[in-house]
Amino acid sequence: MITDYNLPDNIVDILNANKREDDDTFQELIRQGGYVPPHINLLIDAISALSMGKNILLKGPTGAGKTKFAETLSSLFHQPMFSINCSVDLDAESLMGFKTLAYQDEKQKIEFVPGPVTSAMNDGTFLYIDEINMAKPETLPLINGVLDYRRTITNPFTNEIITAEKGFNVIAAINEGYVGTVPLNEALKNRFIVIDVPYIEGEDLKQLIESNTKLTDKTTIDLFVTLSTDLIRAVYQGKLAEDAASIRALLDACDLSAIIPPKRAILRSIVDKLDEEREREFVKNLADTLF
């Protein structure tokens, strides 16, 4: 796994100054990371923004590594990270928490179980909001105050005003143009620093395969890098959906190829996920020419 990014000295100093002090709180939520940035400036800019208390929005195609990018920031800052996976069913309880019945000294009482937003704010951790443009437009305004300079929110279930502790930051991610997504309104978008996350290619992808999969054969790794390049080109040409060039799916195929034949690994990890027969045949033909 990649741990040494050869960051400039001033960025290393920023990380050291903003790392969470060692404690046992939510240690299991500090992610492992391992993201390989196509350009080191992506990492430098994200670290700079977070160190200033700014929110960042990771924008890019599916499978480009946005979640792994966020996990790497969690690792570098040694900062636990609560997560929200957005959908049309996302509601206030999913964000803030919910009330439940509990017992104390054999007496019934109502307790509030905090959700990811309240937990992250109260403990001063990162909050990751995945596919933020999948949420209903009426849901997200609830957390507008969390995303601006106020860093406060009124819990609708307890009427408590929560102010985020030091260290709290929001990292969000979007896949644009997908079914079920809605454009972010300007008020929400303006609360973020936007970082465009492209596909990982070439030597960077080779390094990622070597460090994050069980595949060790150099020749096969080079062929998978070539396959990825061909898939990405086909996506840009409109011949394939973005899912076909997912780096996550490619890494799965590399892992399986350590045990089963590469073409079958590609079939299980990439081809069978595609909806259109035309696209499935296209990818199978690419695999046939390489493996």
Side-chain angles (χ1 to χ4, degrees):
M1 182 173 295
I2 306 302
T3 56
D4 184 7
Y5 290 98
N6 294 316
L7 294 166
D9 290 343
N10 66 315
I11 299 300
V12 173
D13 291 342
I14 286 173
L15 276 173
N16 290 334
N18 288 275
K19 275 186 178 178
R20 185 182 179 92
E21 295 180 3
D22 288 335
D23 61 43
D24 296 329
T25 310
F26 300 122
Q27 286 290 302
E28 71 279 6
L29 295 180
I30 297 176
R31 312 308 168 110
Q32 290 189 338
Y35 177 69
V36 178
H39 313 289
I40 196 63
N41 284 346
L42 293 177
L43 209 51
I44 291 172
D45 295 352
I47 292 169
S48 301
L50 290 173
S51 71
M52 296 178 179
K54 300 183 184 298
N55 313 305
I56 61 173
L57 178 66
L58 306 177
K59 181 179 72 169
T62 183
K66 297 184 293 296
T67 299
K68 184 62 70 175
F69 193 164
E71 290 176 346
T72 297
L73 292 168
S74 166
S75 176
L76 288 171
F77 279 93
H78 198 65
Q79 182 67 286
M81 187 169 74
F82 287 88
S83 296
I84 297 169
N85 294 307
C86 291
S87 70
V88 293
D89 298 321
L90 186 73
D91 56 17
E93 286 191 345
S94 303
L95 296 170
M96 303 302 301
F98 57 90
K99 288 182 176 180
T100 186
L101 289 175
Y103 289 89
Q104 185 176 22
D105 298 328
E106 299 184 355
K107 293 183 179 179
Q108 225 178 34
K109 68 171 186 174
I110 296 176
E111 279 189 352
F112 179 74
V113 179
V117 173
T118 49
S119 294
M121 292 180 72
N122 284 328
D123 202 62
T125 73
F126 285 174
L127 175 67
Y128 180 57
I129 308 177
D130 194 19
E131 297 188 282
I132 191 171
N133 55 339
M134 287 285 287
K136 293 179 291 187
E138 60 267 27
T139 302
L140 292 177
L142 176 68
I143 61 171
N144 275 353
V146 174
L147 298 170
D148 64 22
Y149 68 94
R150 293 171 290 178
R151 285 296 197 257
T152 61
I153 191 171
T154 300
N155 188 333
F157 303 106
T158 64
N159 212 31
E160 174 192 9
I161 297 176
I162 304 170
T163 300
E165 294 293 327
K166 181 182 177 182
F168 172 77
N169 274 112
V170 177
I171 305 170
I174 59 172
N175 299 322
E176 293 185 305
Y178 269 61
V179 174
T181 62
V182 294
L184 294 184
N185 65 56
E186 290 303 315
L188 187 60
K189 190 179 293 184
N190 284 337
R191 287 170 164 82
F192 289 97
I193 300 295
V194 178
I195 296 178
D196 204 336
V197 182
Y199 287 115
I200 299 170
E201 300 185 70
E203 285 299 315
D204 291 327
L205 178 57
K206 183 177 179 179
Q207 184 182 9
L208 184 66
I209 293 171
E210 290 174 344
S211 61
N212 284 267
T213 76
K214 299 184 184 302
L215 186 60
T216 57
D217 183 77
K218 302 293 185 183
T219 301
T220 307
I221 290 174
D222 287 340
L223 290 174
F224 269 108
V225 172
T226 301
L227 175 65
S228 179
T229 300
D230 292 343
L231 292 173
I232 291 170
R233 184 184 300 115
V235 169
Y236 288 149
Q237 293 172 347
K239 296 177 181 178
L240 291 173
E242 284 184 355
D243 294 26
S246 166
I247 301 301
R248 186 186 308 114
L250 187 87
L251 294 179
D252 285 342
C254 290
D255 255 339
L256 287 176
S257 293
I259 301 175
I260 68 176
K263 283 198 287 189
R264 204 158 80 231
I266 293 166
L267 181 70
R268 305 303 180 209
S269 303
I270 300 174
V271 174
D272 286 346
K273 293 179 182 177
L274 301 174
D275 294 328
E276 295 187 19
E277 179 62 28
R278 172 188 61 81
E279 292 184 339
R280 291 196 291 271
E281 288 300 319
F282 186 94
V283 177
K284 281 194 283 188
N285 289 336
L286 282 179
D288 286 339
T289 61
L290 292 171
F291 296 96

